């Protein structure tokens, strides 16, 4: 578990995890460009603006790609989710083995191996 | 300006060691044996090497470890590590250094004992912190994600992926050095154990040992060598991401940038290419690279490879050694793309020899579809 407080002077990576530990899924937003950034960084990738501030994520996204890792110990999926704010993140769909690409998803915060992480649940069928 | 590199350097020697299982040998021992073999092939003394290019899955400072082991003091060295594509980049770096007079005899080399040491892929690749909680399997999960997207977007099927593995096996069956030989059907690939949907064990490259090396000199010296020199015609690298989550479009790799730049430097078109060597760590790679390098339209890779088009006797000769899927894969396979291309251009490829190979395109891949480096090699008639 992270010992970092959100108030301590730490980098964006530690701040992101500290928010998760408090039960909040936060994204960085650069007001001057209107761009959201994930994973959290100290600059907007590609253009370098540093006016990044934390904003709550809508938690909504669309499934971009998915695989199910299989082994004798069991199976679990690895998903890439396009957040409604723009960035893509790796995650898991937790309420089923797999899901159709294109389906809508809702974020939740769960504990994976003792670490708070953003996971998703499917909220509707594939968009027509 | 980049055109000035075309035809200015050449590979005059190649060597391999311990391809398959080399129980009891270390990575550096296999690299050393491959180097001795390449030096003999080139007619060059170890003490003449003054340019060293190396990447490794097991040594943090590859040029330091290799130079010490070989007992050489290179005047120029480069340990660029962009995964399996490192050696295509080293062809470019060595050509630049030779052309600039920074060295006179360049050694590009690699060795791995990953199979006999642990029977699994050895990698120094660090986990990506934003991916770690989800425990993706490195590297297969990333390639499986790309395959899932390609299937969704373009109607690519598991049968089409299987055709890549079957074509590679048919080539391997013509190569006595290949590690996986024997019959392989589409049904067998389809029914192999699933590892990471939609990729089964038969969609994955082999895990083998092996060392490889080549010797490169300026073209004027190459003319004095006993073997036919194989000339460097062009190369280019492109990298757009590190972790799969940052790949802009999982169906388009940076090969779509490196390929055209390398071909422009070489001054060639697709019609000039006799042999295509693609880094096939997984079956999806071959489809993506055929598309991105312009051999077929985007999304058509699966349909392109059907009916044996890239198998022996097909329209396009791809991975004639059997590839990473059926020939060998000692962790960073890019070195062995060079060795097969040189053998084919020399006309030394035995039963699998193509009737005419004057120009070969080699495409290296590194990371999780991350680093893409294309190189073009040619015979003397291409100068």
């Amino acid at each position: 578990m992270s010992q970092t407080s959100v108030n301590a002077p730490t980098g964006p990576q530690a701040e992101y995890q500290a928010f998760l530990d408090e039960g909040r899924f936060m994204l960085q937003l650069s007001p001057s460009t209107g761009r959201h950034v994930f994973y959290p960084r100290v600059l907007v990738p590609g253009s370098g603006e540093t006016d990044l501030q934390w904003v709550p994520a809508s938690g909504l996204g669309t499934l971009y790609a998915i695989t199910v890792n299989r082994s004798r110990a069991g199976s679990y999926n690895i998903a890439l989710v396009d957040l409604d704010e723009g960035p893509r993140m790796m995650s898991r769909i937790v309420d089923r083995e797999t899901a159709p690409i294109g389906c809508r998803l809702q974020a939740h915060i769960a504990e994976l191996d003792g670490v708070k992480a953003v996971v998703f649940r499917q909220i509707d069928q594939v968009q027509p | 300006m980049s055109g000035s590199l075309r035809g200015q350097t050449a590979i005059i020697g190649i060597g391999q060691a311990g391809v398959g299982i080399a129980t009891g040998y270390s990575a550096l021992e296999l690299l050393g044996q491959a180097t001795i073999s390449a030096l003999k092939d080139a007619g060059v003394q170890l003490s003449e090497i003054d340019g060293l290019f190396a990447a490794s899955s097991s040594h943090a400072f590859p040029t330091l470890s290799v130079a010490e082991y070989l007992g050489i003091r290179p005047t120029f060295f480069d340990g660029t590590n962009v995964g399996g594509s490192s050696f295509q980049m080293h062809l470019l770096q060595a050509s630049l250094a030779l052309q600039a007079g920074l060295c006179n005899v360049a050694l590009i080399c690699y060795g791995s004992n990953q199979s006999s040491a642990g029977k699994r892929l050895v990698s120094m690749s660090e986990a990506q912190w934003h991916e770690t909680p989800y425990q993706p399997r490195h590297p297969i999960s990333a390639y499986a994600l790309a395959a899932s997207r390609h299937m969704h977007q373009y109607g690519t099927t598991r049968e089409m992926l299987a055709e890549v593995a079957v074509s590679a096996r048919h080539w391997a069956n013509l190569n006595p050095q290949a590690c996986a030989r024997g019959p392989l059907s589409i049904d067998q690939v389809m029914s192999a154990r699933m590892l990471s949907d939609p990729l089964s064990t038969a969609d994955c490259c082999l895990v083998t040992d092996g060392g490889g090396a080549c010797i490169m000199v300026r073209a004027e010296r190459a003319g004095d060598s006993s073997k036919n020199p194989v000339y460097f015609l062009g190369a280019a690298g492109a990298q757009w991401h590190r972790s799969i989550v940052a790949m802009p479009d999982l169906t388009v790799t940076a090969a779509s940038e490196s390929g055209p730049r390398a071909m422009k430097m070489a001054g060639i078109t697709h019609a000039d290419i006799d042999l295509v060597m693609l880094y096939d760590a997984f079956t999806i790679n071959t489809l993506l690279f055929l598309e991105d390098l312009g051999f077929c339209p985007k999304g058509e890779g699966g349909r392109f490879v059907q009916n044996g088009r890239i198998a022996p006797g097909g329209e396009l000769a791809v991975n004639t050694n059997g590839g990473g899927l059926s020939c060998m894969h000692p962790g960073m396979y890019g070195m062995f793309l060079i060795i097969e291309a040189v053998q084919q251009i020399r006309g030394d490829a035995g039963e699998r020899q193509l009737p005419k190979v004057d120009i070969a395109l080699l495409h290296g891949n590194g990371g999780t579809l991350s680093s893409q480096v294309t190189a073009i090699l040619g015979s003397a008639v291409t100068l």
Side-chain angles (χ1 to χ4, degrees):
Chain A
M1 289 291 270
S2 168
Q3 296 301 310
T4 312
S5 153
V6 243
N7 300 316
T10 57
Q13 179 179 336
E15 286 177 345
Y16 171 75
Q17 189 61 46
F19 282 126
L20 285 182
D21 292 345
E22 292 178 351
R24 291 196 284 168
F25 175 23
M26 302 289 277
L27 291 174
Q28 288 177 305
L29 171 68
S30 154
S32 67
T33 62
R35 280 187 64 191
H36 288 82
V37 172
F38 187 86
Y39 51 90
R41 292 173 168 89
V42 298
L43 48 73
V44 177
S47 49
E49 291 81 3
T50 56
D51 61 335
L52 289 160
Q53 50 187 247
W54 291 105
V55 295
S58 71
L60 294 170
T62 303
L63 184 61
Y64 177 74
I66 189 163
T67 182
V68 181
N69 283 339
R70 298 178 188 280
S71 72
R72 287 171 193 89
S75 64
Y76 59 92
N77 64 59
I78 300 286
L80 295 185
V81 179
D82 284 342
L83 302 175
D84 281 9
E85 288 85 348
R88 182 176 299 156
M89 71 183 298
M90 182 173 282
S91 189
R92 281 196 202 168
I93 315 296
V94 288
D95 56 347
R96 57 200 68 208
E97 182 183 58
T98 187
I101 289 174
C103 75
R104 293 286 290 160
L105 301 165
Q106 171 71 54
H108 296 265
I109 295 174
E111 200 165 295
L112 299 178
D113 264 358
V115 177
K116 289 280 200 305
V118 175
V119 298
F120 287 85
R121 293 197 176 99
Q122 187 176 342
I123 53 174
D124 72 359
Q125 297 307 308
V126 184
Q127 290 177 311
Chain B
M1 191 177 97
S2 59
S4 64
L5 282 176
R6 188 189 194 280
Q8 299 301 301
T9 53
I11 296 167
I12 58 167
I14 52 172
Q16 296 184 86
V19 171
I21 299 290
T23 305
Y25 286 86
S26 75
L28 279 176
E29 286 166 352
L30 296 172
L31 180 150
Q33 290 179 332
T35 298
I36 293 299
S37 168
L39 287 167
K40 273 189 191 151
D41 190 43
V44 168
Q45 300 300 310
L46 176 67
S47 56
E48 291 182 81
I49 297 170
D50 58 0
L52 176 60
F53 301 83
S56 171
S57 307
S58 49
H59 293 79
F61 307 119
T63 60
L64 298 181
S65 299
V66 172
E68 176 185 284
Y69 190 86
L70 298 178
I72 59 174
R73 295 183 176 183
T75 56
F76 189 86
F77 41 87
D78 177 62
T80 297
N81 189 343
V82 281
S85 62
S86 301
F87 313 93
Q88 279 61 54
M89 186 54 77
H90 293 165
L91 286 174
L92 178 59
Q93 314 288 43
S95 291
L96 284 165
L98 288 164
Q99 186 62 3
L102 299 173
C103 62
N104 299 302
V105 177
L107 166 69
I108 304 173
C109 55
Y110 177 71
S112 170
N113 64 343
Q114 63 168 16
S115 180
S116 55
K119 295 203 168 5
R120 60 189 302 272
L121 173 73
V122 170
S123 174
M124 298 197 303
S125 182
E126 77 285 359
Q128 305 297 298
W129 71 269
H130 46 94
E131 298 182 351
T132 304
Y134 310 107
Q135 299 177 358
R137 264 193 221 158
H138 179 76
I140 186 173
S141 296
Y143 289 85
L145 286 165
S148 81
R149 187 69 201 179
H150 202 275
M151 292 168 85
H152 171 79
Q153 213 164 310
Y154 295 113
T156 305
T157 63
R158 285 200 62 216
E159 288 87 341
M160 295 172 189
L161 293 170
E163 182 106 16
V164 172
V166 169
S167 299
R169 178 60 60 85
H170 287 167
W171 281 113
N173 285 339
L174 301 176
N175 179 7
Q177 258 212 326
C179 295
R181 289 160 58 90
L184 183 70
S185 68
I186 292 199
D187 283 348
Q188 282 174 297
V189 178
M190 303 273 294
S191 58
R193 184 164 62 89
M194 190 59 82
L195 289 177
S196 197
D197 299 9
L199 302 179
S200 74
T201 54
D203 289 288
C204 302
C205 63
L206 306 172
V207 174
T208 72
D209 297 334
C214 71
I215 306 290
M216 210 172 186
V217 295
R218 282 185 290 277
E220 71 263 19
R221 173 167 176 175
D224 302 334
S225 65
S226 55
K227 294 279 179 66
N228 290 336
V230 169
Y231 292 87
F232 174 91
L233 301 181
Q239 47 182 39
W240 296 347
H241 69 277
R242 167 71 171 94
S243 41
I244 195 67
V245 71
M247 183 171 178
D249 177 342
L250 262 65
T251 68
V252 182
T253 73
S256 58
E257 180 191 335
S258 68
R261 282 205 268 117
M263 287 175 64
K264 187 179 177 201
M265 186 188 287
I268 62 163
T269 67
H270 289 92
D272 299 320
I273 298 169
D274 303 306
L275 167 65
V276 182
M277 291 299 300
L278 306 176
Y279 194 130
D280 56 342
F282 300 92
T283 49
I284 185 65
N285 295 37
T286 302
L287 303 189
L288 290 170
F289 299 149
L290 285 170
E291 295 170 5
D292 291 335
L293 295 169
F295 291 98
C296 65
K298 178 46 65 185
E300 291 302 308
R303 285 167 283 278
F304 182 83
V305 301
Q306 286 191 302
N307 303 312
R309 187 177 265 160
I310 63 169
E315 284 170 46
L316 185 66
V318 176
N319 296 349
T320 49
N321 60 349
L325 290 167
S326 274
C327 181
M328 62 166 87
H329 192 279
M332 294 165 83
Y333 168 68
M335 184 72 233
F336 302 91
L337 300 173
I338 299 170
I339 289 171
E340 175 65 7
V342 168
Q343 286 184 309
Q344 286 282 356
I345 290 170
R346 283 178 173 179
D348 285 347
E351 199 185 343
R352 68 186 187 282
Q353 178 66 49
L354 300 170
K356 172 189 96 73
V357 185
D358 286 318
I359 293 187
L361 178 148
L362 293 61
H363 185 76
N365 165 71
T368 50
L369 291 167
S370 315
S371 172
Q372 304 298 329
V373 190
T374 311
I376 317 285
L377 300 177
S379 70
V381 307
T382 63
L383 297 182

